Amino acid sequence: LYFPETVNGKGQGGFPDLNTGQIRVAGYGPFNTAMNVGKTWKTLAPRLGVAYQLNPKTVIRSGYGRSFDIGVFGSIFGHMVTQNLPVLVNQFIGNSGLDTQAFNLANGPTAFTFPTIPSNGSIPIGVGNNVKIRNDPNVFPTIDAWNIAVQRQLSNTTSVTVAYVGNKGTHTFMGDDKSTNPNEPASCLPASQSVTGQGLCFNPNPPANSLTQTSDTSELRPYFSKFGWTQDLTYYHNGFDTNYNALQLTFEKRFSQGLQMTANYAFQRAYNYGSNEVYKRFQHGRTDDLRDNQLTLFGNYDLPFGKKGRYASGVPTWVDYVIGGYTLTTSLNWASGLPFSVSYQECSADVPSGPCRPNKGSGSFPLKLTSYDTTTHSRTYFTPPGLGGAFTRPSLDQTGTSPRNAFNGPGFFNDDLALLKTFTIRESVALQFRMDAFNLFNHINPGNPGNTCIDCSGAGVITGMALGDVPRQLQFALTLKF
């Protein structure tokens, strides 16, 4: 059981409530020092595992488990309640025009006047106040994970495993963003949410005397008609879902005759919601940082030379110091590209904010990585096809049908190799020399294109390396073991 945190005194915390438009002040009126945030009694986390030996060489395993997370960045506990009125405010003071001062440095800026807290303990959020918000009662990120695997022994030292692995996240963050903006302008508002009582839609150039179209995006904010709010809001919202499914293959060679190796391959897909709350259903798509195909191989090999090897075991000691005691280790990673979405140039004229994606057309969208251009220090991944073939422009107030993260960027390859040489000084003392070559083949992996606009000049160009990629690096170490 997790209980909501409390602040250390009266007036030392504020909890904004989106239902009332008020901030509950700790210790005032009916509010306790936890600001009456409710507890949850649903954090039950069962585990179940089953293993069955089908025959002496085959084992079937399966499992299910539920896990909870206590949240980060104030989504459950922490700093959120102390970053609101009446404790803290971020104040902006601007000048009134060109060549005018915002304030005089000798006097300093005008101090913010904190509101008087009434006896009922509620103060209005007010227009312009970007408050920090979270759920009441606490909502805990939840992961349900399951798997089933079949492992088969091929020999005394080798085995292969085939597994299906899946999980579902509930009450998670939206993508990798810790917060959302529930007051972001929508393309259209229904009549029930409009100030005029009529449906309202975005048009950058509305017709004269129109009651159904507007260029004022403030009117399209979900909380404008209810509270008059024209500002953004910061909502640490555990209100989204994720899911992951994978076929995983593992080949394992246990240590024998100086060789040990493990190879893993995964064909996998993961989905979540992108960084937008108002357009939630349009933002469901593949996770930004998961590659569909992933192969990793790691292992080590004691070279079979010298007194302890299969070859030249009878050489003199001084020769053994030269040719014996070497070990090679490797770590190889090959993967397909990371996903990306496409956009189009005139998006802001069609929707006030939110997803900027074209409609999916009928043509093809060729992706091909060119060689490195030594003049521009870049590579080209696609030539913008423009609108009319593979992509078309959506209608006004419509979000494009091209899915989020529908395309893959360039693939990834890296191999690290290490050579170790052990010199035995006496039975319990040894000196080890090690040389590591990170990115052995000096293969530079390009990242995704920085500009993915399909009708913009210069789009489709890659100027940076993939995340985590570095040029070849050599590292040397000498270690005394005793």
Side-chain angles (χ1 to χ4, degrees):
L1 297 178
Y2 298 94
F3 292 85
E5 82 272 38
T6 59
V7 294
N8 60 0
K10 186 176 182 179
Q12 297 302 305
F15 190 95
D17 188 340
L18 284 180
N19 296 315
T20 64
Q22 303 286 314
I23 297 176
R24 309 174 198 167
V25 180
Y28 281 83
F31 305 119
N32 57 25
T33 52
M35 288 144 286
N36 291 19
V37 175
K39 295 180 287 291
T40 179
W41 304 93
K42 300 178 181 179
T43 46
L44 299 175
R47 302 283 197 282
L48 177 66
V50 178
Y52 177 68
Q53 185 175 3
L54 189 64
N55 57 52
K57 292 187 176 183
T58 307
V59 177
I60 301 173
R61 297 182 179 89
S62 183
Y64 163 79
R66 169 169 286 188
S67 304
F68 294 94
D69 189 78
I70 62 172
V72 292
F73 297 111
S75 67
I76 300 296
F77 305 108
H79 58 269
M80 189 279 290
V81 294
T82 58
Q83 290 196 338
N84 292 310
L85 291 173
V87 180
L88 181 145
V89 65
N90 293 320
Q91 184 183 13
F92 174 79
I93 299 176
N95 60 356
S96 58
L98 293 174
D99 301 322
T100 61
Q101 62 185 19
F103 58 87
N104 188 290
L105 286 174
N107 301 323
T110 303
F112 179 82
T113 303
F114 282 82
T116 301
I117 303 171
S119 59
N120 65 5
S122 295
I123 56 177
I125 291 176
V127 177
N129 186 7
N130 185 344
V131 290
K132 310 297 189 295
I133 307 160
R134 72 166 180 241
N135 294 93
D136 177 20
N138 283 341
V139 176
F140 288 83
T142 307
I143 290 289
D144 291 287
W146 54 86
N147 65 78
I148 181 169
V150 178
Q151 185 178 38
R152 175 72 177 178
Q153 179 181 335
L154 302 179
S155 70
N156 290 334
T157 61
T158 59
S159 65
V160 62
T161 303
V162 180
Y164 161 67
V165 177
N167 65 58
K168 180 184 182 299
T170 310
H171 306 307
T172 63
F173 280 161
M174 181 176 57
D176 294 328
D177 292 331
K178 62 183 181 292
S179 64
T180 68
N181 175 20
N183 204 33
E184 186 169 350
S187 290
C188 292
L189 286 180
S192 60
Q193 297 182 26
S194 173
V195 175
T196 63
Q198 298 181 356
L200 191 66
C201 284
F202 171 73
N203 189 337
N205 301 295
N209 302 319
S210 171
L211 295 177
T212 59
Q213 294 178 320
T214 181
S215 61
D216 185 359
T217 58
S218 294
E219 299 178 21
L220 295 169
R221 292 181 181 268
Y223 287 93
F224 176 78
S225 62
K226 189 174 183 179
F227 301 119
W229 296 342
T230 58
Q231 73 271 25
D232 294 334
L233 303 172
T234 302
Y235 192 2
Y236 297 107
H237 191 195
N238 297 331
F240 300 88
D241 299 326
T242 66
N243 64 76
Y244 170 84
N245 293 279
L247 171 67
Q248 298 181 356
L249 307 176
T250 301
F251 173 82
E252 183 178 8
K253 169 74 168 64
R254 290 181 292 279
F255 189 82
S256 66
Q257 296 182 340
L259 177 64
Q260 179 179 349
M261 183 183 70
T262 300
N264 298 302
Y265 169 75
F267 176 69
Q268 54 195 1
R269 280 290 178 94
Y271 292 86
N272 64 4
Y273 290 90
S275 55
N276 193 287
E277 182 150 3
V278 174
Y279 295 90
K280 177 179 177 179
R281 68 188 184 93
F282 294 104
Q283 287 289 64
H284 186 261
R286 293 159 60 200
T287 302
D288 294 339
D289 47 9
L290 185 78
R291 301 175 187 272
D292 290 350
N293 294 275
Q294 185 94 33
L295 173 66
T296 58
L297 185 150
F298 52 92
N300 55 276
Y301 181 49
D302 293 340
L303 299 184
F305 305 108
K307 288 183 176 295
K308 295 182 180 180
R310 285 178 294 168
Y311 306 109
S313 58
V315 297
T317 301
W318 69 269
V319 177
D320 183 62
Y321 270 107
V322 177
I323 67 172
Y326 286 98
T327 298
L328 280 175
T329 71
T330 186
S331 175
L332 182 145
N333 184 0
W334 172 87
S336 56
L338 290 173
F340 68 91
S341 306
V342 294
S343 62
Y344 67 104
Q345 192 169 14
E346 297 299 328
C347 179
S348 60
D350 295 336
V351 291
S353 61
C356 180
R357 297 197 297 272
N359 279 339
K360 186 178 179 180
S362 58
S364 63
F365 181 43
L367 300 172
K368 184 178 180 180
L369 188 65
T370 64
S371 58
Y372 182 72
D373 190 320
T374 57
T375 302
T376 62
H377 304 290
S378 66
R379 304 175 77 172
T380 299
Y381 194 53
F382 67 84
T383 301
L387 294 168
F391 306 99
T392 61
R393 182 173 177 175
S395 302
L396 184 66
D397 300 320
Q398 298 295 316
T399 300
T401 58
S402 177
R404 170 175 158 258
N405 282 343
F407 306 98
N408 285 333
F412 184 93
F413 173 82
N414 184 75
D415 185 30
D416 298 332
L417 187 72
L419 177 65
L420 294 80
K421 165 67 174 173
T422 301
F423 300 91
T424 301
I425 300 175
R426 59 178 65 177
E427 184 177 0
S428 59
V429 181
L431 189 67
Q432 185 184 81
F433 169 77
R434 178 182 181 119
M435 182 189 75
D436 286 277
F438 301 104
N439 192 355
L440 173 67
F441 300 104
N442 200 30
H443 177 76
I444 304 302
N445 294 284
N448 282 353
N451 185 350
T452 58
C453 173
I454 48 88
D455 61 342
C456 297
S457 176
V461 175
I462 299 173
T463 57
M465 295 188 296
L467 182 65
D469 192 37
V470 294
R472 180 169 53 221
Q473 296 178 353
L474 299 179
Q475 178 176 287
F476 302 89
L478 195 63
T479 305
L480 180 66
K481 296 186 175 185
F482 58 90

